[in-house]
């Protein structure tokens, strides 16, 4: 209990100077724990407060304070359980690189994996305790297929799609990967593996062949990892941080997660400065839908509503001090209409717009970014998927098995999306024409934004996913970088100084505290979103998991 009290007392001291007796030495070591999902900014809800969620913005602020500290000389970075993709790991590694340029950064890994090595590659020293797990493999993907299961229970799916790689509905219709799906996933995994090896080798100053060989070396223990050069040494935390016993906890400082306030004044990258020329940051995260954005529930993920994003963009465009906009995207797409409305606001902006892609910016997520002046992405970003799909469940057999009858009157075309029956040939032809129209519009939008011909974009479209590295090669993005680099580039394009503040606009008009309350009683169509009556631009692959 006494040890916990001492640690807690030390933890509440922040990097900023606090009153302390002159006889007590200032700490020269700081401890930073990395764990969680690192969303771009925190939201004020019960889930994030209870979880103690730290945002990327807050981490950025923490790193800045540590780098500016005149008494901290060493930083121990302890890596916990992280639920982020490779692009976010890469972005955090770049943050740590700025810190390592000013302080002696030591990383401690309880698990030695490709992901943790990507994260800590810019540290001055990488360590692990003797008991560390070693799970060093290349990336892999697996996908669950429910076609046979659903068919056995009387549930079918009808789809219309443009793009042979557009496989968003195959989880519900198929029993295995088709050749196109296997081709694009293997290409993505190969590129991610190559980019991982290249970045780790470059920052660690090691031969590329040596780093690539770690993934097939069958290393089991931390000692073996150290002998192979994967880590620098095997050590416990207390062997890394040297504390003067006379100083007690005064030589060590724990840095608590910083919780930013998205609804008020945010920290880190998001600073308000009334009257100063500044950069607006607008976030597109989660499934893109029509209407307002909605928070997640125990039964559904948060959604990104076009009303909310368009409102934020219009607020930024109406603000005279806003000289550039960063559109930060982490979305696999969604509604075609909602994506188009957001893209329209980007296309009509009179100030430079830079799109920043996180782990995923595909399908509708790419659509909304395509009209930006420049697009910045990580080599590990999953992007592209320029294609369209419509899918609808058919529950006729299931209903018949359970004695449920549905009768209808009137114009049968009005019931085209009813799950009680299959499409007629005329209805299928009608839907196909709709999907072709949306695909052509999608390709035209990308062609206009990328200054390319329609046929060029169609050739790299067809629903195919691309890694950020391959996207740069085929011209779908302009440069590598993370969200911080995107802000810096926006400042450059707008002719702003590096100190120009950044702010997050709120949509207008404000519709009151109940505007974001999820609707209740939406029924089965809510569970099957985005499939249904809306045309969708989505990478949605419910059974797909990419792992290291």
């Amino acid at each position: 209990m006494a040890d916990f009290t001492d640690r807690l007392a030390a933890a509440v001291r922040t990097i900023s100077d606090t009153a302390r007796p002159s006889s007590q030495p200032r700490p020269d070591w700081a401890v930073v724990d990395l764990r969680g999902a690192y969303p771009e900014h925190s939201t004020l809800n019960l889930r994030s407060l209870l979880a103690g969620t730290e945002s990327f913005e807050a981490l950025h602020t923490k790193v800045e304070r540590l780098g500016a500290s005149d008494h901290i000389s060493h930083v121990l970075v302890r890596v916990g359980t992280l639920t982020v993709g490779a692009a976010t790991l890469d972005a955090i590694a770049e943050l740590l690189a700025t810190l390592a340029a000013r302080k002696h950064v030591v990383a401690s890994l309880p698990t030695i994996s490709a992901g943790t090595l990507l994260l800590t590659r810019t540290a001055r020293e990488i360590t692990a305790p003797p008991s560390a797990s070693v799970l060093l493999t290349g990336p892999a993907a697996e996908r669950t297929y429910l076609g046979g299961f659903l068919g056995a229970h009387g549930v079918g799916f009808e789809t219309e799609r443009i793009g042979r790689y557009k496989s968003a509905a195959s989880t519900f219709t198929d029993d295995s990967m088709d050749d196109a799906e296997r081709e694009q996933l293997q290409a993505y995994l190969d590129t991610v593996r190559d980019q991982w090896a290249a970045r780790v080798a470059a920052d660690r100053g090691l031969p590329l062949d040596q780093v690539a060989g770690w993934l097939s070396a069958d290393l089991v223990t931390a000692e073996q990892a150290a002998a192979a050069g994967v880590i620098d040494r095997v050590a416990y935390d207390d062997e890394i941080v040297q504390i003067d016993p006379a100083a007690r906890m005064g030589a060590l400082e724990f840095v608590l997660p910083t919780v930013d306030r998205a609804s008020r004044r945010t920290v880190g990258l998001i600073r308000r400065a009334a009257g100063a020329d500044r950069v607006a940051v607008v976030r597109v995260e989660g499934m893109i839908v029509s209407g307002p954005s909605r928070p997640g529930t125990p039964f559904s993920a948060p959604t990104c509503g076009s009303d909310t994003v368009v409102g934020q963009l219009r607020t930024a465009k109406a603000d005279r001090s806003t000289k550039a906009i960063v559109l930060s995207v982490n979305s696999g797409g969604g509604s075609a209409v909602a994506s188009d409305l957001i893209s329209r606001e980007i296309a009509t902006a009179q100030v430079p717009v830079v799109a920043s892609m996180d782990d995923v910016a595909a399908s509708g997520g790419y659509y909304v970014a395509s009209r930006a002046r420049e697009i910045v992405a990580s080599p590990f970003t999953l992007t592209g998927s320029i294609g369209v799909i419509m899918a609808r469940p058919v529950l006729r057999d299931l209903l018949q098995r359970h004695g449920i009858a549905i009768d209808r009157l009137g114009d049968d075309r009005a019931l085209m999306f009813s799950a009680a029956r299959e499409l007629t040939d005329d209805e299928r032809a009608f839907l196909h024409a709709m999907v072709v129209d949306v695909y052509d519009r999608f390709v035209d939008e990308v062609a206009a934004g990328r200054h390319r011909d329609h046929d060029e974009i169609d050739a790299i479209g067809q629903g195919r996913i691309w890694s950020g590295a391959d996207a740069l090669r085929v011209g779908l993005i302009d440069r590598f970088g993370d969200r911080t680099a995107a802000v810096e580039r926006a400042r450059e394009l707008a002719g702003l100084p590096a100190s120009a503040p950044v702010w997050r606009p709120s949509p207008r008009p404000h519709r009151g505290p109940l505007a974001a309350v999820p609707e209740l009683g939406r029924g089965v169509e809510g569970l099957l979103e985005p499939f249904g009556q809306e045309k969708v631009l989505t990478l949605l692959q419910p059974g797909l998991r990419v792992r290291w």
Side-chain angles (χ1 to χ4, degrees), residues 367-441:
Y367 191 114
V368 300
S370 63
R371 296 301 293 267
R373 175 85 65 87
E374 290 191 6
I375 300 176
V376 177
S378 164
F380 304 99
T381 298
L382 194 156
T383 189
S385 192
I386 301 170
V388 187
I389 188 168
M390 293 188 73
R392 60 186 290 273
V394 180
L395 308 181
R396 181 192 59 192
D397 293 345
L398 176 67
L399 297 175
Q400 289 178 350
R401 290 180 188 181
H402 294 277
I404 301 173
I406 296 178
D407 210 346
R408 54 187 182 270
L409 294 171
D411 189 340
D412 215 33
R413 291 175 301 174
L415 302 174
M416 179 185 314
F417 294 99
S418 169
R421 64 175 178 85
E422 295 179 335
L423 293 168
T424 66
D425 291 341
D426 288 344
E427 289 169 343
R428 183 173 291 281
F430 176 75
L431 291 181
H432 179 74
M434 290 176 61
V435 171
V436 169
D437 176 70
V438 175
Y439 178 73
D440 286 341
R441 183 184 299 274

Side-chain angles (χ1 to χ4, degrees), residues 82-370:
L82 290 160
T83 54
V84 299
T88 299
L89 292 174
D90 192 45
I92 296 174
E94 293 300 326
L95 275 185
L96 295 180
T98 65
L99 185 60
R102 306 176 69 179
K103 309 294 180 183
H104 187 99
V105 176
V106 181
S108 178
L109 309 181
T111 299
I112 301 170
S113 68
T116 58
L117 292 176
L118 178 67
L119 174 71
T120 58
R121 69 179 191 272
T122 56
R124 190 80 61 85
E125 186 179 10
I126 301 176
T127 70
S131 56
S133 300
V134 183
L135 301 171
L136 197 51
T137 68
E142 66 176 1
R143 187 169 184 182
T144 302
Y145 291 89
L146 303 175
F149 172 81
L150 293 174
H153 290 78
V155 178
F157 266 83
E158 291 183 311
T159 64
E160 283 293 327
R161 69 179 185 178
I162 299 295
R164 70 187 189 95
Y165 296 99
K166 198 69 176 179
S167 58
S170 61
T171 287
F172 306 108
T173 60
D174 298 347
D175 296 321
S176 62
M177 290 185 189
D178 61 24
D179 291 341
E181 173 80 344
R182 192 174 297 277
E183 175 191 344
Q184 66 174 343
L185 282 177
Q186 188 61 59
Y188 174 76
L189 295 174
D190 290 345
T191 303
V192 165
R193 181 184 182 123
D194 292 344
Q195 287 293 317
W196 172 86
R199 291 172 95 77
V200 172
D203 285 324
R204 298 281 301 278
L206 297 171
L208 180 60
D209 290 345
Q210 177 184 347
V211 174
W214 294 343
L215 301 180
S216 56
D218 295 328
L219 303 174
V220 176
T221 67
E223 287 81 3
Q224 291 175 342
V230 176
I231 62 174
D232 296 297
R233 64 182 171 121
V234 178
Y236 289 104
D237 288 359
D238 60 353
E239 296 175 305
I240 299 169
V241 181
Q242 301 299 319
I243 304 174
D244 181 359
R248 297 188 301 278
M249 293 300 292
L252 181 64
E253 185 161 344
F254 289 84
V255 186
L256 284 178
T258 306
V259 179
D260 53 349
R261 298 184 177 183
S263 63
R264 298 180 184 176
R265 178 176 176 272
T266 55
V267 296
L269 291 173
I270 310 303
R271 302 186 185 92
R272 297 184 183 273
D277 289 344
R278 55 188 180 173
V279 177
V281 175
V282 176
R283 182 70 166 170
V284 175
E285 183 157 20
M287 180 70 67
I288 300 173
V289 298
S290 299
S293 298
R294 300 186 181 280
T297 72
F299 307 102
S300 64
T303 60
C304 177
S306 57
D307 287 0
T308 301
V309 177
V310 167
Q312 291 174 314
L313 289 169
R314 289 180 176 174
T315 298
K317 291 159 70 174
D319 178 68
R320 294 183 178 180
S321 64
T322 296
K323 303 303 181 183
I325 298 172
V326 170
L327 186 74
S328 178
V329 183
N330 192 33
S331 171
S335 162
V337 173
S339 300
D340 187 58
L341 294 176
I342 296 171
S343 177
R344 168 69 178 173
E345 293 302 318
I346 300 298
T348 57
Q350 299 300 308
V351 298
V353 179
V354 176
S356 169
M357 296 179 170
D358 288 356
D359 292 315
V360 180
S363 204
Y366 186 81
Y367 191 114
V368 300
S370 63

Side-chain angles (χ1 to χ4, degrees), residues 497-516:
S499 59
V502 182
W503 72 295
R504 187 179 302 280
S506 298
R508 292 187 297 191
H510 180 63
R511 305 198 307 162
L514 298 181

